[in-house]
Amino acid sequence: MLQEEEDLSLTIAQIVQKLKGSRLYAQLERQAWVSLQKPEIKLETLKEDIKEFFRITGWEKKLHNAVYSELTVFPLPRHPAAPPEHLKEPLVYMRKAQGSWEKRILKSLNSMCTELSIPLARKRPVVEQKELLNKWNEMGTDEPDLSLFRPVYAPKDFLEKEFFVELSLNTGQLGIDDATQVPPELFENEHVRLGQKVLAEQDSAAAQQYIRQGSPTALRAELWALILNVSNQPEDLLYYEQLKSNVIQHDLLVDSLIYKDVKLTASNDDYYFVFEDYLYQVLLCFSRDTAVLGHFAYNSASPPKSYIRGKLGMEDYAVFYPPNGVIPFHGFSMYVAPLCFLYHEPSKLYQIFREMYVRFFFRLHSISSHHSGIVSLCLLFETLLQTHLPQLFYHLREIGAQPLRISFKWMVRAFSGYLATDQLLLLWDRILGYNSLEILAVLAAAVFAFRAVNLMEVTSLAAAEAVLADLSTLKVMPLLQIFLFATVT
Protein backbone atom coordinates (compact mmCIF):
# COMPACT_ATOMS: atom_id res chain seq x y z
CA MET A 1 0.00 0.00 0.00
CA LEU A 2 2.81 2.37 0.93
CA GLN A 3 4.65 1.55 -2.30
CA GLU A 4 1.50 2.26 -4.32
CA GLU A 5 1.12 5.60 -2.58
CA GLU A 6 4.75 6.44 -3.29
CA ASP A 7 4.33 5.47 -6.96
CA LEU A 8 1.18 7.59 -7.15
CA SER A 9 2.98 10.52 -5.53
CA LEU A 10 5.82 10.17 -8.04
CA THR A 11 3.35 10.03 -10.93
CA ILE A 12 1.52 13.13 -9.68
CA ALA A 13 4.79 15.01 -9.18
CA GLN A 14 5.93 14.03 -12.65
CA ILE A 15 2.70 15.20 -14.30
CA VAL A 16 2.65 18.47 -12.30
CA GLN A 17 6.24 19.16 -13.36
CA LYS A 18 5.36 18.47 -16.99
CA LEU A 19 2.26 20.67 -16.92
CA LYS A 20 4.08 23.56 -15.25
CA GLY A 21 5.94 24.15 -18.48
CA SER A 22 2.80 24.02 -20.61
CA ARG A 23 0.66 26.73 -22.10
CA LEU A 24 -2.32 25.38 -20.16
CA TYR A 25 -0.57 26.12 -16.86
CA ALA A 26 -0.05 29.75 -17.86
CA GLN A 27 -3.68 29.98 -18.96
CA LEU A 28 -4.90 28.54 -15.65
CA GLU A 29 -2.76 31.03 -13.73
CA ARG A 30 -4.17 33.87 -15.80
CA GLN A 31 -7.73 32.67 -15.26
CA ALA A 32 -7.11 32.36 -11.51
CA TRP A 33 -6.05 36.02 -11.43
CA VAL A 34 -9.13 36.96 -13.44
CA SER A 35 -11.36 35.13 -10.96
CA LEU A 36 -9.97 37.19 -8.08
CA GLN A 37 -11.71 40.25 -9.52
CA LYS A 38 -15.12 38.60 -9.23
CA PRO A 39 -17.29 39.39 -6.20
CA GLU A 40 -18.29 35.76 -5.60
CA ILE A 41 -14.65 34.84 -4.82
CA LYS A 42 -14.19 35.15 -1.03
CA LEU A 43 -10.81 35.25 0.71
CA GLU A 44 -11.90 32.81 3.45
CA THR A 45 -12.97 30.19 0.83
CA LEU A 46 -10.48 31.16 -1.86
CA LYS A 47 -9.32 27.68 -2.81
CA GLU A 48 -12.80 26.19 -3.15
CA ASP A 49 -14.16 29.27 -4.93
CA ILE A 50 -11.41 29.15 -7.57
CA LYS A 51 -12.00 25.42 -8.05
CA GLU A 52 -15.69 26.13 -8.60
CA PHE A 53 -14.82 28.94 -11.02
CA PHE A 54 -12.65 26.54 -13.04
CA ARG A 55 -15.45 23.98 -13.08
CA ILE A 56 -18.11 26.42 -14.28
CA THR A 57 -15.91 27.99 -16.95
CA GLY A 58 -14.73 24.65 -18.39
CA TRP A 59 -11.07 24.97 -17.36
CA GLU A 60 -11.37 22.04 -14.98
CA LYS A 61 -12.30 19.77 -17.91
CA LYS A 62 -9.32 21.06 -19.90
CA LEU A 63 -7.04 20.25 -16.96
CA HIS A 64 -8.57 16.76 -16.67
CA ASN A 65 -7.95 16.15 -20.38
CA ALA A 66 -4.34 17.33 -20.09
CA VAL A 67 -3.69 15.01 -17.13
CA TYR A 68 -5.37 12.11 -18.93
CA SER A 69 -3.25 12.80 -21.99
CA GLU A 70 -0.07 12.65 -19.91
CA LEU A 71 -1.16 9.41 -18.23
CA THR A 72 -1.74 7.70 -21.58
CA VAL A 73 1.61 8.77 -23.01
CA PHE A 74 4.21 8.97 -20.25
CA PRO A 75 5.69 5.82 -18.69
CA LEU A 76 5.37 5.04 -15.02
CA PRO A 77 8.17 6.62 -12.97
CA ARG A 78 10.99 4.38 -11.78
CA HIS A 79 11.59 4.68 -8.08
CA PRO A 80 15.23 5.18 -7.04
CA ALA A 81 14.78 2.48 -4.37
CA ALA A 82 13.56 -0.29 -6.68
CA PRO A 83 11.39 -2.90 -4.90
CA PRO A 84 12.43 -6.60 -4.74
CA GLU A 85 10.04 -7.66 -7.52
CA HIS A 86 12.28 -5.82 -9.97
CA LEU A 87 14.69 -8.74 -9.56
CA LYS A 88 12.04 -11.08 -11.00
CA GLU A 89 10.80 -8.71 -13.73
CA PRO A 90 12.15 -5.19 -14.15
CA LEU A 91 9.25 -4.04 -16.30
CA VAL A 92 6.17 -2.94 -14.37
CA TYR A 93 3.70 -3.75 -17.16
CA MET A 94 5.07 -7.30 -17.42
CA ARG A 95 4.55 -7.86 -13.71
CA LYS A 96 1.03 -6.45 -13.89
CA ALA A 97 0.19 -8.58 -16.94
CA GLN A 98 1.42 -11.72 -15.20
CA GLY A 99 -0.56 -10.83 -12.08
CA SER A 100 -3.71 -10.27 -14.16
CA TRP A 101 -3.17 -13.52 -16.04
CA GLU A 102 -2.76 -15.49 -12.78
CA LYS A 103 -5.89 -13.89 -11.34
CA ARG A 104 -7.80 -14.83 -14.47
CA ILE A 105 -6.71 -18.47 -14.22
CA LEU A 106 -7.67 -18.64 -10.55
CA LYS A 107 -11.02 -17.00 -11.24
CA SER A 108 -11.78 -19.58 -13.91
CA LEU A 109 -10.76 -22.41 -11.61
CA ASN A 110 -12.79 -21.10 -8.66
CA SER A 111 -15.84 -20.60 -10.86
CA MET A 112 -15.70 -24.20 -11.99
CA CYS A 113 -15.38 -25.41 -8.38
CA THR A 114 -18.45 -23.40 -7.39
CA GLU A 115 -20.54 -24.53 -10.36
CA LEU A 116 -19.72 -28.23 -9.88
CA SER A 117 -19.63 -28.10 -6.06
CA ILE A 118 -16.16 -29.62 -6.08
CA PRO A 119 -13.49 -28.43 -3.64
CA LEU A 120 -10.07 -27.28 -4.76
CA ALA A 121 -8.54 -30.04 -2.64
CA ARG A 122 -9.79 -32.98 -0.61
CA LYS A 123 -8.38 -36.13 1.01
CA ARG A 124 -9.29 -39.40 -0.69
CA PRO A 125 -11.07 -42.05 1.39
CA VAL A 126 -8.96 -45.15 2.14
CA VAL A 127 -10.99 -47.32 -0.26
CA GLU A 128 -10.42 -44.90 -3.12
CA GLN A 129 -6.73 -44.74 -2.30
CA LYS A 130 -6.42 -48.52 -2.64
CA GLU A 131 -8.34 -48.57 -5.91
CA LEU A 132 -6.09 -45.94 -7.38
CA LEU A 133 -2.99 -47.78 -6.23
CA ASN A 134 -4.20 -50.97 -7.86
CA LYS A 135 -4.90 -49.20 -11.15
CA TRP A 136 -1.71 -47.13 -11.09
CA ASN A 137 -0.28 -48.71 -14.22
CA GLU A 138 -3.67 -48.95 -15.94
CA MET A 139 -5.22 -45.55 -15.32
CA GLY A 140 -5.85 -45.12 -19.01
CA THR A 141 -8.52 -47.79 -18.83
CA ASP A 142 -10.53 -45.70 -16.37
CA GLU A 143 -13.13 -43.49 -18.08
CA PRO A 144 -14.60 -41.01 -15.61
CA ASP A 145 -17.28 -38.57 -16.77
CA LEU A 146 -15.46 -35.30 -17.59
CA SER A 147 -18.23 -33.73 -19.66
CA LEU A 148 -18.89 -30.98 -17.11
CA PHE A 149 -15.24 -29.98 -16.86
CA ARG A 150 -13.63 -27.40 -19.14
CA PRO A 151 -10.03 -26.32 -19.60
CA VAL A 152 -9.05 -23.47 -17.33
CA TYR A 153 -7.51 -21.78 -20.34
CA ALA A 154 -6.31 -22.56 -23.85
CA PRO A 155 -3.31 -21.14 -25.74
CA LYS A 156 -5.75 -18.89 -27.61
CA ASP A 157 -6.52 -17.17 -24.31
CA PHE A 158 -3.02 -15.72 -24.13
CA LEU A 159 -4.42 -13.12 -26.49
CA GLU A 160 -6.33 -10.92 -24.06
CA LYS A 161 -9.70 -11.06 -25.82
CA GLU A 162 -11.17 -9.33 -22.81
CA PHE A 163 -8.98 -6.37 -23.72
CA PHE A 164 -10.95 -6.08 -26.97
CA VAL A 165 -14.34 -6.84 -25.41
CA GLU A 166 -15.94 -3.84 -27.15
CA LEU A 167 -15.25 -5.55 -30.49
CA SER A 168 -17.33 -8.61 -29.59
CA LEU A 169 -20.06 -10.04 -31.79
CA ASN A 170 -22.75 -8.77 -29.41
CA THR A 171 -21.57 -5.14 -29.53
CA GLY A 172 -22.53 -2.72 -32.29
CA GLN A 173 -19.64 -1.69 -34.55
CA LEU A 174 -19.17 1.01 -37.12
CA GLY A 175 -17.64 -0.84 -40.02
CA ILE A 176 -20.31 -3.56 -39.76
CA ASP A 177 -23.60 -2.28 -38.35
CA ASP A 178 -23.63 0.85 -40.51
CA ALA A 179 -23.62 -1.26 -43.69
CA THR A 180 -26.29 -0.36 -46.24
CA GLN A 181 -28.41 -3.46 -45.56
CA VAL A 182 -28.61 -2.69 -41.82
CA PRO A 183 -31.35 -0.19 -40.86
CA PRO A 184 -29.56 2.85 -39.34
CA GLU A 185 -32.04 3.10 -36.47
CA LEU A 186 -30.72 -0.17 -35.06
CA PHE A 187 -27.30 1.20 -34.19
CA GLU A 188 -25.83 3.98 -36.30
CA ASN A 189 -28.24 6.79 -35.41
CA GLU A 190 -27.94 6.18 -31.67
CA HIS A 191 -24.16 5.88 -31.92
CA VAL A 192 -23.99 9.25 -33.68
CA ARG A 193 -26.17 10.85 -30.99
CA LEU A 194 -23.91 9.44 -28.29
CA GLY A 195 -20.85 10.73 -30.14
CA GLN A 196 -22.30 14.22 -30.29
CA LYS A 197 -22.92 14.08 -26.56
CA VAL A 198 -19.32 12.99 -25.91
CA LEU A 199 -18.04 15.92 -27.98
CA ALA A 200 -20.33 18.33 -26.13
CA GLU A 201 -18.86 17.11 -22.82
CA GLN A 202 -15.29 17.58 -24.14
CA ASP A 203 -14.08 14.60 -22.11
CA SER A 204 -10.98 12.85 -23.52
CA ALA A 205 -11.48 9.64 -21.51
CA ALA A 206 -15.11 9.31 -22.61
CA ALA A 207 -14.12 9.92 -26.24
CA GLN A 208 -11.48 7.20 -26.04
CA GLN A 209 -13.99 4.70 -24.65
CA TYR A 210 -16.62 5.69 -27.23
CA ILE A 211 -14.32 5.29 -30.22
CA ARG A 212 -13.64 1.62 -29.43
CA GLN A 213 -16.86 0.90 -31.34
CA GLY A 214 -15.73 3.11 -34.20
CA SER A 215 -16.28 6.76 -35.02
CA PRO A 216 -18.96 8.19 -37.30
CA THR A 217 -17.24 9.78 -40.30
CA ALA A 218 -18.63 13.24 -39.55
CA LEU A 219 -17.34 13.20 -35.94
CA ARG A 220 -13.99 11.45 -36.40
CA ALA A 221 -11.79 14.54 -36.81
CA GLU A 222 -13.14 16.16 -33.65
CA LEU A 223 -13.06 12.94 -31.63
CA TRP A 224 -9.45 12.20 -32.52
CA ALA A 225 -8.44 15.76 -31.67
CA LEU A 226 -10.21 15.46 -28.31
CA ILE A 227 -8.49 12.15 -27.49
CA LEU A 228 -5.10 13.55 -28.51
CA ASN A 229 -5.81 16.78 -26.61
CA VAL A 230 -5.21 18.95 -29.69
CA SER A 231 -7.12 22.21 -29.68
CA ASN A 232 -5.34 24.29 -32.38
CA GLN A 233 -5.10 27.56 -30.48
CA PRO A 234 -3.58 30.75 -32.01
CA GLU A 235 -0.31 29.86 -30.27
CA ASP A 236 -0.27 26.53 -32.13
CA LEU A 237 -0.70 28.30 -35.45
CA LEU A 238 2.17 30.63 -34.55
CA TYR A 239 4.37 27.66 -33.63
CA TYR A 240 3.58 26.00 -36.94
CA GLU A 241 4.48 29.20 -38.76
CA GLN A 242 7.82 29.26 -36.92
CA LEU A 243 8.55 25.72 -38.07
CA LYS A 244 7.57 26.71 -41.59
CA SER A 245 9.98 29.64 -41.32
CA ASN A 246 12.75 27.24 -40.30
CA VAL A 247 12.02 25.11 -43.35
CA ILE A 248 12.16 28.17 -45.54
CA GLN A 249 15.42 29.32 -43.99
CA HIS A 250 17.36 26.06 -43.80
CA ASP A 251 17.83 23.18 -46.20
CA LEU A 252 18.47 19.80 -44.59
CA LEU A 253 19.65 16.58 -46.14
CA VAL A 254 16.62 14.86 -44.67
CA ASP A 255 14.46 17.12 -46.84
CA SER A 256 15.60 15.07 -49.81
CA LEU A 257 14.74 11.88 -47.98
CA ILE A 258 11.27 13.25 -47.35
CA TYR A 259 10.76 14.26 -50.98
CA LYS A 260 11.99 10.90 -52.19
CA ASP A 261 9.71 9.03 -49.81
CA VAL A 262 6.61 10.99 -50.77
CA LYS A 263 7.37 10.45 -54.46
CA LEU A 264 7.88 6.72 -54.05
CA THR A 265 4.89 6.07 -51.80
CA ALA A 266 2.02 8.50 -51.36
CA SER A 267 2.37 10.10 -54.79
CA ASN A 268 1.85 6.69 -56.40
CA ASP A 269 -1.11 5.78 -54.19
CA ASP A 270 -4.61 6.03 -55.66
CA TYR A 271 -5.99 7.36 -52.38
CA TYR A 272 -3.26 9.76 -51.31
CA PHE A 273 -1.60 11.30 -54.38
CA VAL A 274 -3.85 14.37 -54.12
CA PHE A 275 -2.34 15.21 -50.72
CA GLU A 276 1.27 15.41 -51.91
CA ASP A 277 1.63 19.06 -50.97
CA TYR A 278 0.20 18.56 -47.50
CA LEU A 279 2.67 15.75 -46.92
CA TYR A 280 5.67 17.89 -47.78
CA GLN A 281 4.42 20.70 -45.54
CA VAL A 282 3.83 18.50 -42.55
CA LEU A 283 6.94 16.36 -42.83
CA LEU A 284 9.37 19.21 -43.49
CA CYS A 285 8.02 21.09 -40.47
CA PHE A 286 8.14 17.91 -38.43
CA SER A 287 11.85 17.46 -39.12
CA ARG A 288 12.52 20.90 -37.54
CA ASP A 289 10.33 20.46 -34.48
CA THR A 290 12.57 20.18 -31.40
CA ALA A 291 9.49 19.54 -29.24
CA VAL A 292 9.48 16.02 -30.72
CA LEU A 293 12.73 15.35 -28.83
CA GLY A 294 10.64 15.07 -25.65
CA HIS A 295 9.33 11.65 -26.68
CA PHE A 296 12.82 10.15 -26.41
CA ALA A 297 12.27 10.20 -22.63
CA TYR A 298 10.07 7.10 -23.13
CA ASN A 299 11.50 5.84 -26.44
CA SER A 300 14.19 3.18 -26.40
CA ALA A 301 15.93 5.01 -29.25
CA SER A 302 18.18 8.05 -28.89
CA PRO A 303 18.23 11.05 -31.21
CA PRO A 304 21.22 11.12 -33.60
CA LYS A 305 23.91 13.74 -32.96
CA SER A 306 25.97 15.81 -35.36
CA TYR A 307 29.12 17.73 -34.49
CA ILE A 308 30.47 21.04 -35.69
CA ARG A 309 33.29 20.45 -38.19
CA GLY A 310 36.57 19.75 -36.44
CA LYS A 311 34.86 19.12 -33.09
CA LEU A 312 33.89 15.46 -33.55
CA GLY A 313 33.13 13.79 -30.21
CA MET A 314 33.08 17.04 -28.24
CA GLU A 315 29.63 17.18 -26.60
CA ASP A 316 29.70 20.98 -26.25
CA TYR A 317 29.68 21.18 -30.05
CA ALA A 318 27.04 18.52 -30.64
CA VAL A 319 23.55 19.13 -32.03
CA PHE A 320 20.69 16.74 -32.70
CA TYR A 321 20.22 15.97 -36.38
CA PRO A 322 17.67 16.31 -37.68
CA PRO A 323 16.42 18.79 -35.07
CA ASN A 324 13.50 16.51 -34.15
CA GLY A 325 15.82 13.49 -33.77
CA VAL A 326 13.83 11.35 -36.24
CA ILE A 327 15.36 10.21 -39.52
CA PRO A 328 12.56 9.45 -42.00
CA PHE A 329 12.56 6.05 -43.69
CA HIS A 330 10.85 4.54 -46.71
CA GLY A 331 7.12 4.70 -46.10
CA PHE A 332 7.31 7.29 -43.32
CA SER A 333 5.01 9.67 -45.18
CA MET A 334 2.25 7.06 -45.03
CA TYR A 335 1.81 7.84 -41.34
CA VAL A 336 0.59 11.29 -42.39
CA ALA A 337 -1.34 10.55 -45.58
CA PRO A 338 -4.57 9.10 -44.07
CA LEU A 339 -4.87 12.08 -41.72
CA CYS A 340 -5.19 14.35 -44.74
CA PHE A 341 -8.70 12.99 -45.24
CA LEU A 342 -9.70 14.34 -41.83
CA TYR A 343 -7.81 17.62 -41.46
CA HIS A 344 -7.49 20.21 -44.18
CA GLU A 345 -5.91 23.00 -42.15
CA PRO A 346 -2.11 22.43 -42.15
CA SER A 347 -1.56 23.54 -38.55
CA LYS A 348 -4.24 21.18 -37.20
CA LEU A 349 -3.08 18.37 -39.47
CA TYR A 350 0.46 18.87 -38.23
CA GLN A 351 -0.49 18.76 -34.55
CA ILE A 352 -2.57 15.61 -34.99
CA PHE A 353 0.24 13.84 -36.82
CA ARG A 354 2.84 14.88 -34.23
CA GLU A 355 0.67 13.54 -31.40
CA MET A 356 -0.02 10.30 -33.26
CA TYR A 357 3.70 9.89 -33.84
CA VAL A 358 4.90 10.54 -30.27
CA ARG A 359 2.14 8.31 -28.86
CA PHE A 360 2.11 5.43 -31.32
CA PHE A 361 4.04 5.45 -34.57
CA PHE A 362 7.54 5.75 -33.12
CA ARG A 363 7.09 2.32 -31.54
CA LEU A 364 6.76 0.78 -35.00
CA HIS A 365 10.35 1.55 -35.94
CA SER A 366 12.26 1.33 -32.66
CA ILE A 367 13.33 -1.81 -30.78
CA SER A 368 11.91 -2.15 -27.28
CA SER A 369 10.09 -4.55 -24.99
CA HIS A 370 6.98 -2.37 -24.91
CA HIS A 371 3.79 -4.29 -25.65
CA SER A 372 3.01 -1.95 -28.54
CA GLY A 373 6.56 -2.06 -29.86
CA ILE A 374 7.24 -3.74 -33.18
CA VAL A 375 9.13 -6.62 -31.51
CA SER A 376 6.13 -7.48 -29.35
CA LEU A 377 3.78 -7.12 -32.31
CA CYS A 378 5.88 -9.58 -34.31
CA LEU A 379 5.80 -12.04 -31.43
CA LEU A 380 2.04 -11.63 -31.01
CA PHE A 381 1.44 -12.13 -34.72
CA GLU A 382 3.48 -15.33 -34.88
CA THR A 383 1.94 -16.66 -31.67
CA LEU A 384 -1.59 -16.09 -32.99
CA LEU A 385 -0.75 -17.70 -36.31
CA GLN A 386 0.86 -20.77 -34.72
CA THR A 387 -2.05 -21.13 -32.28
CA HIS A 388 -4.94 -20.66 -34.70
CA LEU A 389 -3.41 -21.90 -37.95
CA PRO A 390 -0.51 -24.23 -37.14
CA GLN A 391 -0.73 -26.13 -40.45
CA LEU A 392 -0.63 -22.91 -42.46
CA PHE A 393 2.21 -21.51 -40.38
CA TYR A 394 4.42 -24.55 -40.85
CA HIS A 395 3.46 -24.94 -44.52
CA LEU A 396 4.62 -21.39 -45.22
CA ARG A 397 7.77 -21.94 -43.20
CA GLU A 398 8.47 -25.14 -45.14
CA ILE A 399 8.33 -23.42 -48.53
CA GLY A 400 10.47 -20.51 -47.36
CA ALA A 401 7.58 -18.04 -47.09
CA GLN A 402 8.13 -16.83 -43.54
CA PRO A 403 4.76 -15.22 -42.60
CA LEU A 404 6.45 -12.40 -40.75
CA ARG A 405 8.35 -11.39 -43.88
CA ILE A 406 4.99 -10.63 -45.46
CA SER A 407 3.13 -9.08 -42.52
CA PHE A 408 6.01 -7.03 -41.13
CA LYS A 409 5.57 -4.19 -43.61
CA TRP A 410 1.84 -4.01 -42.87
CA MET A 411 2.45 -3.56 -39.16
CA VAL A 412 5.36 -1.10 -39.53
CA ARG A 413 3.11 1.15 -41.61
CA ALA A 414 0.07 0.53 -39.40
CA PHE A 415 -1.55 -0.84 -42.61
CA SER A 416 -1.44 2.59 -44.25
CA GLY A 417 -1.24 2.16 -48.01
CA TYR A 418 -2.55 -1.39 -47.84
CA LEU A 419 -6.17 -1.00 -46.73
CA ALA A 420 -8.84 1.19 -48.30
CA THR A 421 -8.86 4.52 -46.46
CA ASP A 422 -12.29 4.10 -44.86
CA GLN A 423 -11.17 0.74 -43.47
CA LEU A 424 -7.84 2.12 -42.30
CA LEU A 425 -9.55 4.91 -40.36
CA LEU A 426 -11.81 2.34 -38.67
CA LEU A 427 -8.66 0.45 -37.66
CA TRP A 428 -6.96 3.60 -36.36
CA ASP A 429 -10.14 4.38 -34.37
CA ARG A 430 -9.39 1.25 -32.35
CA ILE A 431 -5.70 2.12 -31.93
CA LEU A 432 -6.77 5.38 -30.31
CA GLY A 433 -9.63 3.74 -28.41
CA TYR A 434 -7.44 1.07 -26.82
CA ASN A 435 -4.31 3.26 -26.65
CA SER A 436 -2.48 0.29 -28.14
CA LEU A 437 -0.99 -0.94 -31.42
CA GLU A 438 -1.65 -4.62 -30.64
CA ILE A 439 -4.71 -4.59 -32.89
CA LEU A 440 -2.26 -4.41 -35.85
CA ALA A 441 -0.85 -7.86 -35.05
CA VAL A 442 -4.37 -9.26 -34.58
CA LEU A 443 -5.47 -7.91 -37.96
CA ALA A 444 -2.32 -9.24 -39.66
CA ALA A 445 -3.09 -12.73 -38.34
CA ALA A 446 -6.76 -12.34 -39.32
CA VAL A 447 -5.74 -11.55 -42.91
CA PHE A 448 -3.72 -14.77 -43.08
CA ALA A 449 -6.69 -16.68 -41.66
CA PHE A 450 -8.99 -15.14 -44.28
CA ARG A 451 -6.68 -16.17 -47.13
CA ALA A 452 -5.66 -19.50 -45.55
CA VAL A 453 -7.22 -21.77 -48.20
CA ASN A 454 -5.31 -20.05 -51.02
CA LEU A 455 -2.10 -19.87 -48.99
CA MET A 456 -2.15 -23.62 -48.32
CA GLU A 457 -1.83 -24.18 -52.09
CA VAL A 458 1.19 -21.92 -52.74
CA THR A 459 4.67 -23.37 -53.14
CA SER A 460 6.89 -20.28 -52.93
CA LEU A 461 7.33 -16.94 -51.19
CA ALA A 462 6.46 -15.11 -54.41
CA ALA A 463 3.19 -17.01 -54.72
CA ALA A 464 2.31 -16.32 -51.06
CA GLU A 465 3.04 -12.62 -51.55
CA ALA A 466 0.83 -12.62 -54.64
CA VAL A 467 -2.10 -14.05 -52.65
CA LEU A 468 -1.65 -11.29 -50.06
CA ALA A 469 -0.66 -8.49 -52.44
CA ASP A 470 -4.01 -6.67 -52.50
CA LEU A 471 -5.72 -5.93 -49.18
CA SER A 472 -7.76 -3.02 -50.52
CA THR A 473 -11.01 -4.99 -50.68
CA LEU A 474 -10.84 -6.29 -47.10
CA LYS A 475 -13.30 -5.18 -44.43
CA VAL A 476 -11.45 -4.68 -41.16
CA MET A 477 -14.15 -5.14 -38.53
CA PRO A 478 -15.67 -8.41 -39.80
CA LEU A 479 -12.15 -9.88 -40.04
CA LEU A 480 -11.29 -8.84 -36.49
CA GLN A 481 -14.57 -10.03 -35.02
CA ILE A 482 -14.43 -13.43 -36.70
CA PHE A 483 -10.81 -13.96 -35.71
CA LEU A 484 -11.27 -12.83 -32.10
CA PHE A 485 -14.71 -14.11 -31.21
CA ALA A 486 -16.11 -16.64 -33.70
CA THR A 487 -16.47 -20.05 -32.09
CA VAL A 488 -13.91 -22.60 -33.24
CA THR A 489 -14.98 -26.24 -32.87
Side-chain angles (χ1 to χ4, degrees):
M1 186 68 180
L2 184 60
Q3 182 62 52
E4 288 179 4
E5 290 176 0
E6 287 180 5
D7 286 347
L8 181 59
S9 297
L10 280 168
T11 302
I12 292 170
Q14 191 177 52
I15 291 175
V16 168
Q17 189 62 35
K18 190 87 184 292
L19 292 179
K20 273 187 175 179
S22 69
R23 185 175 68 243
L24 177 62
Y25 185 82
Q27 291 173 328
L28 288 171
E29 271 194 330
R30 194 158 54 244
Q31 289 299 318
W33 280 107
V34 168
S35 72
L36 294 177
Q37 314 304 318
K38 298 186 175 294
E40 59 268 26
I41 305 294
K42 310 295 183 189
L43 186 60
E44 54 272 20
T45 55
L46 184 63
K47 185 177 178 180
E48 295 305 318
D49 288 351
I50 291 179
K51 277 185 179 179
E52 181 64 14
F53 172 77
F54 281 165
R55 188 188 66 78
I56 293 171
T57 55
W59 286 100
E60 181 187 58
K61 187 62 67 70
K62 291 179 181 179
L63 179 59
H64 285 175
N65 290 343
V67 171
Y68 186 73
S69 178
E70 290 299 326
L71 285 171
T72 56
V73 173
F74 220 75
L76 290 169
R78 303 196 75 170
H79 200 283
E85 56 262 38
H86 277 249
L87 298 175
K88 284 173 63 69
E89 172 49 64
L91 301 177
V92 174
Y93 80 88
M94 284 287 194
R95 293 204 305 270
K96 287 188 175 179
Q98 179 62 26
S100 297
W101 176 239
E102 289 166 357
K103 286 178 184 176
R104 196 169 150 192
I105 294 172
L106 288 174
K107 183 178 179 181
S108 177
L109 198 61
N110 286 326
S111 295
M112 189 157 49
C113 289
T114 303
E115 291 167 15
L116 302 181
S117 300
I118 296 173
L120 278 171
R122 69 178 179 92
K123 186 176 181 180
R124 294 181 189 273
V126 175
V127 174
E128 191 175 322
Q129 292 178 33
K130 288 181 178 178
E131 286 178 357
L132 180 59
L133 182 61
N134 291 335
K135 291 190 295 187
W136 187 255
N137 294 320
E138 302 171 354
M139 283 193 286
T141 61
D142 200 15
E143 295 183 3
D145 181 12
L146 301 176
S147 60
L148 296 177
F149 290 80
R150 61 179 185 275
V152 177
Y153 69 91
K156 181 180 177 181
D157 297 328
F158 275 114
L159 169 63
E160 281 284 351
K161 289 199 301 179
E162 289 183 4
F163 182 62
F164 296 117
V165 68
E166 292 85 0
L167 305 186
S168 70
L169 298 170
N170 298 323
T171 307
Q173 301 290 330
L174 287 186
I176 296 179
D177 299 296
D178 53 335
T180 51
Q181 67 270 27
V182 179
E185 61 271 13
L186 292 181
F187 171 69
E188 188 179 5
N189 291 351
E190 182 57 34
H191 194 60
V192 170
R193 279 194 292 271
L194 182 58
Q196 291 167 338
K197 185 177 179 181
V198 167
L199 284 173
E201 289 292 322
Q202 283 295 292
D203 188 321
S204 293
Q208 188 176 45
Q209 182 66 34
Y210 169 82
I211 213 170
R212 291 181 177 189
Q213 289 176 260
S215 170
T217 302
L219 305 182
R220 182 174 281 121
E222 287 184 81
L223 285 166
W224 285 20
L226 178 56
I227 292 168
L228 296 169
N229 203 31
V230 169
S231 55
N232 203 32
Q233 298 296 313
E235 297 93 331
D236 299 312
L237 182 57
L238 179 61
Y239 186 76
Y240 177 79
E241 290 298 323
Q242 288 173 340
L243 294 174
K244 178 180 173 183
S245 177
N246 288 338
V247 175
I248 301 298
Q249 292 176 35
H250 303 283
D251 180 28
L252 302 180
L253 174 62
V254 293
D255 296 352
S256 298
L257 300 180
I258 291 168
Y259 282 117
K260 178 83 170 178
D261 182 54
V262 173
K263 290 294 183 188
L264 290 175
T265 55
S267 295
N268 292 322
D269 190 286
D270 291 342
Y271 293 105
Y272 304 126
F273 72 93
V274 294
F275 301 123
E276 187 174 345
D277 291 337
Y278 275 159
L279 297 178
Y280 293 140
Q281 292 166 13
V282 168
L283 289 168
L284 291 173
C285 286
F286 182 70
S287 68
R288 272 75 171 175
D289 193 349
T290 55
V292 177
L293 292 169
H295 93 284
F296 285 102
Y298 49 90
N299 183 351
S300 59
S302 298
K305 287 182 179 179
S306 180
Y307 295 87
I308 295 172
R309 185 171 297 180
K311 305 292 185 181
L312 185 63
M314 300 175 67
E315 290 301 316
D316 290 345
Y317 298 93
V319 292
F320 293 121
Y321 183 87
N324 69 347
V326 180
I327 298 176
F329 57 89
H330 180 62
F332 192 84
S333 61
M334 298 304 285
Y335 291 147
V336 187
L339 302 174
C340 297
F341 276 95
L342 303 181
Y343 306 96
H344 309 300
E345 203 278 296
S347 172
K348 184 75 169 285
L349 171 62
Y350 177 76
Q351 289 178 75
I352 294 292
F353 164 66
R354 184 178 67 184
E355 282 302 308
M356 288 289 285
Y357 180 82
V358 300
R359 287 195 188 201
F360 303 111
F361 297 147
F362 79 89
R363 299 198 185 280
L364 297 175
H365 63 93
S366 56
I367 298 172
S368 74
S369 61
H370 193 277
H371 59 84
S372 280
I374 190 63
V375 175
S376 295
L377 297 187
C378 291
L379 178 61
L380 176 58
F381 165 74
E382 289 202 323
T383 302
L384 290 174
L385 212 55
Q386 288 183 67
T387 302
H388 290 281
L389 303 157
Q391 286 182 299
L392 174 62
F393 182 82
Y394 291 109
H395 167 67
L396 293 175
R397 285 281 298 273
E398 194 70 23
I399 64 171
Q402 180 71 262
L404 193 57
R405 287 185 63 181
I406 299 171
S407 66
F408 189 75
K409 58 183 180 291
W410 303 340
M411 294 189 290
V412 169
R413 279 201 200 173
F415 280 90
S416 180
Y418 296 104
L419 296 171
T421 305
D422 63 327
Q423 297 302 305
L424 183 73
L425 295 176
L426 287 167
L427 176 65
W428 285 14
D429 279 343
R430 276 69 182 192
I431 289 175
L432 282 159
Y434 289 98
N435 195 40
S436 169
L437 292 164
E438 289 171 301
I439 198 80
L440 299 178
V442 179
L443 179 60
V447 171
F448 272 75
F450 183 65
R451 298 271 168 89
V453 173
N454 302 89
L455 288 170
M456 285 298 292
E457 297 175 359
V458 303
T459 56
S460 67
L461 173 61
E465 288 179 329
V467 169
L468 295 165
D470 183 11
L471 309 185
S472 62
T473 59
L474 298 182
K475 301 297 183 185
V476 165
M477 292 316 302
L479 278 181
L480 287 172
Q481 281 198 327
I482 290 169
F483 189 76
L484 284 167
F485 297 102
T487 303
V488 179
T489 56

